[in-house]
Amino acid sequence: MKMIKNNKNIFILSLLICPLVFSENVDFTYSKYTINDIKKFDIVEECSSNSDCPNFAIECAKNKCVYPEFACSGNQNCYTLNPNKNFNMFLNDDDNSVYTVLDENNNNKKIIAKSCNLSKDFDRNYDDIPDNCTTAKCSSNDECLSNNCISGICQVNNSSPTYHCKNNGIYYVCNELLDEHCTNDNNCASYKCHESAYICVKESSPIEGGNNDDDENSSSKGLIIACIAILVIIILMVLCCILCMKRSSKNKEVNNN
């Protein structure tokens, strides 16, 4: 009887754990956390086992706690992103994908993460030509992360802006997705706020390996300067050795005389 009870407990526990395990077919999983909760997360960096990491962490790997990323909208509950997948919606405005979501009832549904700001025509590509923003076609608000489907397009929702939240090593940072209103580059998940339109636009992230040419040139210049400095030091040391040898030779000649 005791064994049956234990098996029943194990079964119940497995049902609770299963929704937390990501399937390759699921892109987002409904979480119990809002953006305000996520911003208050206490981050533990080093670990020796999973038990050393907070319960919202994914795992302990290579003695470091691994943390999930989230997609959020306003004060609604956020979605945990599948750590086994790569998402371009934060950096690429050409991404009109529809994502598979495991909702609060553990049912699959489709959601469109991208949203468009159609309040006016924007020159998002800096080519002096206003461009059109489109998303995958929606039929209801709940199909959009922004919860705002208008005329078949997921549009930005001023009362519920969309965010990407990720751990920066010390705490969670939540940045707005493309086409959301911004005041500076740090507001945006793409790390680029349009200088005149004040919306987040496509740009490579400096954190994700998208270092620009200026950074590469700066690194190259620094390396060249360091090499020159080392070469100068070596030349000075050689000159000093030569001078010392000459002085030593002269002293020997004087002593011999």
Side-chain angles (χ1 to χ4, degrees):
M1 191 73 181
K2 186 177 180 181
M3 185 178 294
I4 294 173
K5 185 177 180 181
N6 287 339
N7 289 337
K8 184 178 179 181
N9 289 337
I10 292 171
F11 176 73
I12 294 172
L13 182 61
S14 66
L15 289 178
L16 294 173
I17 293 175
C18 281
L20 300 178
V21 178
F22 286 98
S23 164
E24 286 300 321
N25 297 323
V26 174
D27 300 303
F28 305 168
T29 301
Y30 181 86
S31 80
K32 62 182 180 181
Y33 308 112
T34 66
I35 192 170
N36 291 328
D37 295 328
I38 293 169
K39 288 180 177 179
K40 295 176 183 177
F41 280 163
D42 290 325
I43 302 300
V44 176
E45 292 189 56
E46 298 183 355
C47 59
S48 56
S49 66
N50 288 345
S51 61
D52 295 330
C53 301
N55 57 6
F56 58 87
I58 299 173
E59 63 177 341
C60 174
K62 297 180 180 179
N63 295 323
K64 296 287 185 182
C65 291
V66 180
Y67 293 97
E69 298 180 14
F70 297 89
C72 305
S73 179
N75 293 320
Q76 301 176 52
N77 284 54
C78 300
Y79 292 101
T80 305
L81 305 187
N82 189 331
N84 300 319
K85 295 195 175 187
N86 181 38
F87 300 98
N88 296 320
M89 63 200 172
F90 309 124
L91 306 176
N92 189 351
D93 59 4
D94 298 323
D95 185 14
N96 290 338
S97 301
V98 177
Y99 297 95
T100 301
V101 172
L102 195 64
D103 67 15
E104 61 269 35
N105 298 315
N106 292 328
N107 296 320
N108 282 356
K109 73 172 189 177
K110 301 296 182 180
I111 199 166
I112 301 163
K114 180 181 176 183
S115 55
C116 291
N117 190 330
L118 301 181
S119 59
K120 65 177 183 179
D121 292 331
F122 294 104
D123 173 22
R124 296 173 178 82
N125 298 320
Y126 297 95
D127 55 5
D128 296 323
I129 302 174
D131 48 81
N132 296 321
C133 178
T134 61
T135 70
K137 187 175 181 180
C138 61
S139 56
S140 60
N141 288 338
D142 64 357
E143 292 181 354
C144 304
L145 180 63
S146 64
N147 198 37
N148 190 29
C149 175
I150 301 176
S151 302
I153 298 176
C154 290
Q155 300 189 29
V156 295
N157 186 343
N158 293 331
S159 63
S160 188
T162 53
Y163 296 89
H164 171 226
C165 297
K166 66 185 297 184
N167 169 37
N168 71 352
I170 304 174
Y171 50 83
Y172 266 86
V173 175
C174 297
N175 304 104
E176 292 168 317
L177 301 189
L178 297 172
D179 265 40
E180 296 287 359
H181 174 73
C182 58
T183 56
N184 59 67
D185 292 345
N186 290 331
N187 294 149
C188 304
S190 62
Y191 297 93
K192 183 62 179 178
C193 179
H194 197 289
E195 289 84 353
S196 58
Y198 295 106
I199 61 170
C200 294
V201 292
K202 179 170 57 178
E203 184 79 359
S204 295
S205 162
I207 293 177
E208 299 296 333
N211 294 330
N212 55 32
D213 292 339
D214 290 338
D215 292 334
E216 291 178 358
N217 290 337
S218 178
S219 298
S220 298
K221 288 178 181 177
L223 183 61
I224 291 171
I225 291 172
C227 290
I228 291 173
I230 292 171
L231 184 60
V232 169
I233 291 171
I234 292 173
I235 292 172
L236 289 174
M237 291 176 66
V238 171
L239 290 174
C240 287
C241 288
I242 292 172
L243 288 174
C244 287
M245 290 174 66
K246 285 184 177 181
R247 286 180 181 177
S248 177
S249 179
K250 285 182 180 180
N251 289 335
K252 286 181 179 180
E253 289 178 1
V254 171
N255 290 334
N256 291 333
N257 293 332

